[in-house]
Amino acid sequence: MGRRALRKIDPSLDLSRHLLAINQLPKPWNQAVLFGREAPLEMEVGSGKGLFLAEAATLRPECNFLGIEISQRYARYCAARLVKANLQNARMLEADGQRVLAEFLPSESAAAVHVYFPDPWWKERHKKRRVMNTRSVQEIERVLVPGGTLHFWTDVEEYFETTIALIRENTRLEGPLQVAERPASHDLDFRTHFERRTRMHGETVHRAEFRKPWIMANSIC
């Protein structure tokens, strides 16, 4: 299911506070530089139009939210959404999520990582480009705090099953925990625009949650 054309962004909007480039990320990591405060951090890899990011930041002002989007035009669109909603606890980063996880996020720095409807890269020779791969799931496990969660949704059953197996084989995350589908109370009461489109077409959304154990057992020699 492809992406639809984006609406034009109001040129009068100042995106400078909400739209970040990768060279603006602090090294070593420091939330206060990005958000002006320290708070539980949730990350979304592949934010698209930013529906989840904006809704989550609105509903949970006690948390900081960092969206990561590799597409420049979608990153700008998402940042504009945050600006219009005056959300001070959310930022949009134009970058490769795998690079951010591997190079910038310290261990046990995120309360949750959200990955919703990532590009399935259908052709066999392209599947190595999938955001959910061996390295990325291991990095997600590393950056999660004990008790932190990974939320993974897709409309592609093969991708879902492959990722479940990948997580089981390469991490000690607990799961998958089932996530129930709830009825939408209004037209935009969906986690992402992709969820909305998928459900309106009567298609299945595959959902799973994984949790990092509070105590990670040491490897037995």
Side-chain angles (χ1 to χ4, degrees), residues 9-10 13 15 18 75-85:
I9 297 173
D10 182 348
L13 290 177
L15 307 183
H18 288 81
R76 287 181 57 81
Y77 186 91
C78 187
R81 190 176 208 132
L82 302 179
V83 172
K84 287 190 285 187

Side-chain angles (χ1 to χ4, degrees), residues 1 153 181-184 189-191 194-205 207:
M1 196 180 296
W153 296 13
E181 181 176 297
R182 61 175 179 78
D189 187 24
F190 298 92
R191 186 149 295 195
F194 261 94
E195 185 201 4
R196 177 178 180 272
R197 289 172 58 191
T198 301
R199 288 175 59 179
M200 289 182 71
H201 281 81
E203 298 171 1
T204 301
V205 177
R207 304 171 174 84

Side-chain angles (χ1 to χ4, degrees), residues 69-97:
E69 174 59 55
I70 198 168
S71 166
Q72 182 185 57
R73 62 195 183 102
Y74 276 88
R76 287 181 57 81
Y77 186 91
C78 187
R81 190 176 208 132
L82 302 179
V83 172
K84 287 190 285 187
N86 193 29
L87 291 166
Q88 302 306 310
N89 62 326
R91 299 288 184 271
M92 193 63 223
L93 173 65
E94 180 196 336
D96 181 341

